[in-house]
Amino acid sequence: MALTDRRRVNGPALPTSIPFYDTPAPAPTVSRSPTELRKIFLKTSLTPPASGSAFYELTPPSTLKLTTSVYGPRPLPPSAGFSPTARVTAELKFAPFSTRGERRGYVRDGLERELSLQLQIAISGMVRASAYPKSGIDVFVTVLDCEGRIEEMIGVDAAEGEGERASLGAMQVLTGAITCASTAIADAGIECVDLVAAGMAALVEAKDGKDMVVMDPSPLDGWQVRAAVLVGYMAARDEITLVWSRGEVGVEEFTGVMESAVEVATKVRGVVNDAVRERLVALLKARGKKEGKKAITEDVEMTG
Amino acid sequence: MPLLSPPEYSYLRTSLLSEPPIRPDLRSLTAFRPLAAELTLLPTTHGSSRLFLPDGSECIVGIKPELSAHPSFEVSIEIAGLRDDDPMAVLLAGMVADTIRAQVHERLRTSGNWSSGAAEGMETAGGAQTRGRPWGWKLYIDVVVVSPPASHPGGLVSLAVHLALRDLRLPKLVSAPEEDPVFDDDYEACEWLFPREAGAGGIPAVREGGKGMNKADTPAVTVLVAAVGDNVLFDPTREEMVVADCVAAVSVTRDGSVGGLRMLETGSGGENGGVGRKVVNRIVKEVGVAAGGLFESLDQIVRTSI
């Protein structure tokens, strides 16, 4: 197989875990109202060598944790050829310990490729690429912890496992990755037209058999998901950079779910703004102190 | 190297934005490029199709079934001129699998001797196939894009897979669920995975009276759509994709509902910003409206191929 990882000691392919004879976890219950969003912890500049970085975490019981580092704008290698605009590349990677159960390998698999590409589409719309000719901006997202399972897809037969419930895992990772990457790009001081924030909403089957829209659904909530829509949304310009929908919906329903996702993204944007501002204020304060203490004739130290 | 020079870019974009919009090949906005199709061409497969565009893009699909404890399917795509692990092939395979998953799973669950309700009760939580469990089918859907594609092969591949699935005939199981599988040795007794229209070409339909087919009776199809300003173009060429604000792959079922939507790279690499919500809604709506005609012409292909 071409994709085997030969460079590392990988351990057995199918390890077994130590059995714990514990009482089984209770069936998931929905504790939030369908319109209540989870709180997000977002902090910038935690990776010193990178031009910009951000850390994203959802509050428990959600376990999603991501970190992003942005390198650039830096010169493209000569082999890349001429580019009149900046080339934005994004790479999303799951840490080997990020998933429950089976360990993830180091070599990129299909899911990582797919999420990387979608992330790249979502964020390349926000960077003012024409301001940086002949340069590359590289965004690396590492998923430290996932929520729920990520492999399964929507619409998979429920008999094959917890397909319906697990389906949101991959989409949720991408939602976090877009928000986190966008914050890190702003932290790197790269010129942007606007900031992207991602939001997700799902059409679920309620207990009474009717469909309803849930904002920011968690894979652990135990909803019977019929379809889910993820958007990357630039709130100030009222523009969408990415839409990803899964599961079958009618045209009118689709519009409704997308509107909810946009509403979620708009609220998430508030968190992004705060995270970016926090660092900016700290920088300005630091500069003010320095200027206050030292003589003005001294050279200005270039930072950030 | 960018595909279009700045004057070419500007010329093409302006003509697509004009009222009425003018496409380089004078197609209407909702028209597909002329397609030619051929079904049942690979004798060693159980269902196959070949689809080609006038620009030389050509796609061949073959489907082989295997008996398994759990009905499932696998899609693999090979694109000429690209490496095996090229992201394009991986993404296309994922896209096609997402598109057809719902309908194919539903049909597979009623194929083989999985259909009998008693059989389902026999299923246990164990992993391996044991005696006394019903047999279903696992499908291997193999796609070859024969020449290096002149435009994004997503639409072509999806249509070819759709046609191959509708051409798929599975051997008839004559054994009971708890027995080792034995097939009817008459090829004519094979069962279509997806029902044909009743009486078409003298071949019996799985379900009689299939005139008013519903959405589960045919697999969904992915359509590539590009938005330029307020105009929505179907089946964009590579040049049209470069000047577009966004390109979306929308999978659509027979009744016009959306089975999934994802954005694709436009290939321009420049700053596009995003698109308005209105545009996304329009894309979805237009695809929903076009679905009827699209499926009708696919039915036509299937009907004439027999």
Side-chain angles (χ1 to χ4, degrees):
Chain A
M1 222 175 77
L3 292 172
T4 320
D5 186 6
R6 294 170 192 278
R7 303 189 182 223
R8 294 164 198 89
V9 181
N10 272 313
L14 288 169
T16 51
S17 38
I18 308 165
F20 281 103
Y21 300 102
D22 202 357
T23 45
T29 49
V30 185
S31 50
R32 284 181 297 138
S33 92
T35 51
E36 190 189 336
L37 310 187
R38 283 167 292 175
K39 290 207 169 66
I40 297 171
F41 177 82
L42 190 58
K43 201 156 179 64
T44 58
S45 304
L46 292 176
T47 315
S51 319
S53 59
F55 174 77
Y56 174 104
E57 185 175 348
L58 287 173
T59 46
S62 296
T63 51
L64 184 66
K65 291 178 194 65
L66 309 152
T67 153
T68 306
S69 37
V70 175
Y71 294 87
R74 55 185 179 186
L76 282 174
S79 58
F82 174 74
S83 167
T85 57
R87 280 195 194 156
V88 183
T89 58
E91 200 176 313
L92 186 140
K93 191 89 199 78
F94 288 98
F97 47 81
S98 62
T99 43
R100 209 142 287 217
E102 218 168 291
R103 169 186 177 277
R104 288 192 74 89
Y106 282 98
V107 176
R108 281 218 283 177
D109 65 1
L111 181 71
E112 284 171 351
R113 273 174 215 279
E114 185 177 331
L115 295 182
S116 302
L117 192 78
Q118 302 233 41
L119 175 65
Q120 185 172 325
I121 295 170
I123 58 175
S124 54
M126 86 177 206
V127 175
R128 225 163 73 76
S130 60
Y132 304 103
K134 299 186 277 184
S135 19
I137 296 169
D138 303 318
V139 179
F140 299 95
V141 178
T142 308
V143 182
L144 300 174
D145 202 350
C146 293
E147 188 177 2
R149 283 165 57 202
I150 50 170
E151 284 86 3
E152 306 280 339
M153 310 282 181
I154 282 178
V156 172
D157 184 8
E160 285 184 38
E162 38 179 348
E164 307 276 342
R165 203 185 314 151
S167 55
L168 293 173
M171 290 181 95
Q172 169 147 312
V173 166
L174 186 62
T175 315
I178 292 172
T179 307
C180 188
S182 143
T183 314
I185 288 174
D187 184 50
I190 291 166
E191 273 192 54
C192 296
V193 292
D194 195 355
L195 293 181
V196 178
M200 181 162 72
L203 192 69
V204 304
E205 212 169 282
K207 285 205 180 89
D208 55 359
K210 281 185 192 155
D211 292 338
M212 65 170 183
V213 178
V214 176
M215 292 160 98
D216 191 24
S218 160
L220 301 178
D221 277 348
W223 296 109
Q224 286 294 314
V225 179
R226 269 191 55 207
V229 178
L230 181 163
V231 296
Y233 179 65
M234 303 197 286
R237 285 163 66 108
D238 187 20
E239 282 182 348
I240 289 173
T241 56
L242 182 88
V243 186
W244 184 20
S245 100
R246 272 166 141 188
E248 198 183 304
V249 278
V251 173
E252 276 77 35
E253 287 170 311
F254 178 88
T255 311
V257 184
M258 196 179 76
E259 287 298 324
S260 303
V262 165
E263 205 178 318
V264 176
T266 315
K267 287 182 177 157
V268 172
R269 175 62 189 274
V271 181
V272 174
N273 284 356
D274 281 348
V276 174
R277 192 187 303 128
E278 193 182 12
R279 157 116 165 119
L280 202 63
V281 169
L283 269 177
L284 288 176
K285 265 189 190 160
R287 181 179 290 179
K289 263 187 199 161
K290 197 182 275 172
E291 283 176 358
K293 267 188 219 160
K294 294 176 185 171
I296 294 177
T297 50
E298 221 173 294
D299 285 349
V300 177
E301 195 184 331
M302 301 292 281
T303 53
Chain B
M1 247 336 245
L3 185 68
L4 298 176
S5 69
E8 284 170 331
Y9 182 95
S10 154
Y11 174 77
L12 185 54
R13 194 170 160 86
T14 316
S15 62
L16 290 177
L17 279 173
S18 60
E19 196 51 52
I22 302 160
R23 298 177 77 167
D25 46 10
L26 300 178
R27 268 186 291 159
S28 74
L29 288 184
T30 52
F32 281 70
R33 280 169 287 182
L35 283 164
E38 194 183 343
L39 297 189
T40 330
L41 67 145
L42 303 176
T44 56
T45 62
H46 285 74
S48 56
S49 70
R50 168 171 173 257
L51 205 58
F52 44 103
L53 289 171
D55 67 6
S57 310
E58 184 176 342
C59 177
I60 297 178
V61 179
I63 304 179
K64 286 193 168 197
E66 181 187 62
L67 276 174
S68 102
H70 292 285
S72 61
F73 69 92
E74 221 171 73
V75 181
S76 76
I77 298 189
E78 200 180 308
I79 301 176
L82 297 183
R83 284 168 51 127
D84 283 1
D85 57 346
D86 192 272
M88 168 78 99
V90 178
L91 290 176
L92 270 183
M95 197 172 88
V96 169
D98 266 2
T99 306
I100 58 175
R101 180 166 286 118
Q103 292 87 13
V104 170
H105 266 289
E106 193 182 323
R107 298 301 307 176
L108 283 179
R109 250 180 284 142
T110 55
S111 70
N113 41 31
W114 254 72
S115 44
S116 43
E120 300 222 357
M122 282 195 272
E123 198 197 356
T124 51
Q129 169 75 39
T130 53
R131 249 171 184 284
R133 293 180 63 193
W135 294 93
W137 295 104
K138 178 174 184 182
L139 304 181
Y140 293 90
I141 303 175
D142 297 303
V143 183
V144 181
V145 178
V146 179
S147 53
S151 55
H152 195 287
L156 185 74
V157 168
S158 167
L159 289 175
V161 169
H162 173 98
L163 289 173
L165 278 170
R166 293 181 71 178
D167 186 51
L168 177 63
R169 304 175 75 180
L170 298 170
K172 187 178 165 64
L173 274 174
V174 289
S175 52
E178 64 275 12
E179 292 171 351
D180 283 340
V182 176
F183 303 113
D184 193 331
D185 53 8
D186 183 6
Y187 187 71
E188 289 301 312
C190 281
E191 289 164 334
W192 298 97
L193 182 65
F194 286 94
R196 300 261 159 157
E197 279 181 293
I203 291 175
V206 172
R207 197 186 293 171
E208 288 303 323
K211 238 177 256 163
M213 287 219 247
N214 63 35
K215 65 179 177 185
D217 289 343
T218 42
V221 160
T222 297
V223 181
L224 293 200
V225 200
V228 185
D230 283 344
N231 294 330
V232 175
L233 327 172
F234 279 63
D235 191 22
T237 60
R238 188 159 54 159
E239 290 76 16
E240 285 169 338
M241 276 174 80
V242 170
V243 302
D245 298 327
C246 79
V247 182
V250 189
S251 61
V252 63
T253 56
R254 202 178 184 89
D255 62 347
S257 50
V258 183
L261 186 154
R262 65 177 73 195
M263 295 274 189
L264 301 176
E265 276 179 305
T266 57
S268 68
E271 66 197 78
N272 295 319
V275 290
R277 265 179 269 183
K278 228 174 39 185
V279 175
V280 179
N281 286 334
R282 182 169 301 142
I283 288 178
V284 173
K285 212 164 106 195
E286 297 251 342
V287 172
V289 171
L294 177 62
F295 277 93
E296 233 163 68
S297 27
L298 286 169
D299 291 347
Q300 185 75 30
I301 294 175
V302 173
R303 222 176 292 132
T304 51
S305 74
I306 302 167

